Amino acid sequence: MSSEAFQVAKVYRNLLKAVVKHIGKEDSKRHFREHVTNEFRKNLVLSDLKSVRQKIKLAQDYTYFLNSELLFSYNIAVDRSEEMKRTLGKSAASVGLQLPEVYEP
């Protein structure tokens, strides 16, 4: 495997991990994973090395933004309510408290 093919595989794997970790695995959010997979497959046969490097850089940047949660702070395409509930629950648990269940009719 060439070094560029190895780098592409590594970037792809890291991006998918970030999407699963920060966006989720639920079926309602499956389209995020499918989009990443489709983009990598679509660009798999690019012969223009400059274009490949630009797309790798873009994928690395997006992975960085996901992992640093910058996208969440700007509310880009993701419902943060579950993430906020999880964060608040962890914060409360760290000081020995438990959040009450919210009644939803």
Side-chain angles (χ1 to χ4, degrees):
M1 183 183 283
S2 71
S3 64
E4 275 143 14
F6 180 73
Q7 183 182 12
V8 169
K10 184 177 177 182
V11 168
Y12 175 65
R13 185 173 52 249
N14 288 339
L15 181 54
L16 277 181
K17 282 182 185 179
V19 167
V20 167
K21 180 179 180 183
H22 297 289
I23 294 176
K25 297 184 213 180
E26 297 87 21
D27 280 342
S28 63
K29 299 176 183 176
R30 184 178 63 221
H31 62 281
F32 288 102
R33 291 187 317 272
E34 289 174 353
H35 177 72
V36 169
T37 302
N38 290 337
E39 285 298 310
F40 270 86
R41 286 183 181 157
K42 180 172 66 174
N43 296 310
L44 188 63
V45 292
L46 288 177
S47 59
D48 182 16
L49 192 56
K50 185 177 180 182
S51 177
V52 170
R53 287 186 179 143
Q54 288 174 341
K55 292 193 184 279
I56 289 173
K57 177 71 172 131
L58 180 65
Q60 287 173 327
D61 291 345
Y62 191 74
T63 304
Y64 173 77
F65 288 139
L66 276 176
N67 286 330
S68 64
E69 298 187 9
L70 287 174
L71 292 176
F72 296 121
S73 64
Y74 294 114
N75 279 337
I76 296 179
V78 178
D79 179 23
R80 293 206 57 210
S81 59
E82 289 299 318
E83 182 74 23
M84 291 303 294
K85 285 179 191 175
R86 218 179 349 217
T87 302
L88 290 173
K90 286 180 182 179
S91 297
S94 70
V95 294
L97 300 173
Q98 185 176 8
L99 293 177
E101 294 294 323
V102 178
Y103 174 74
E104 293 182 24

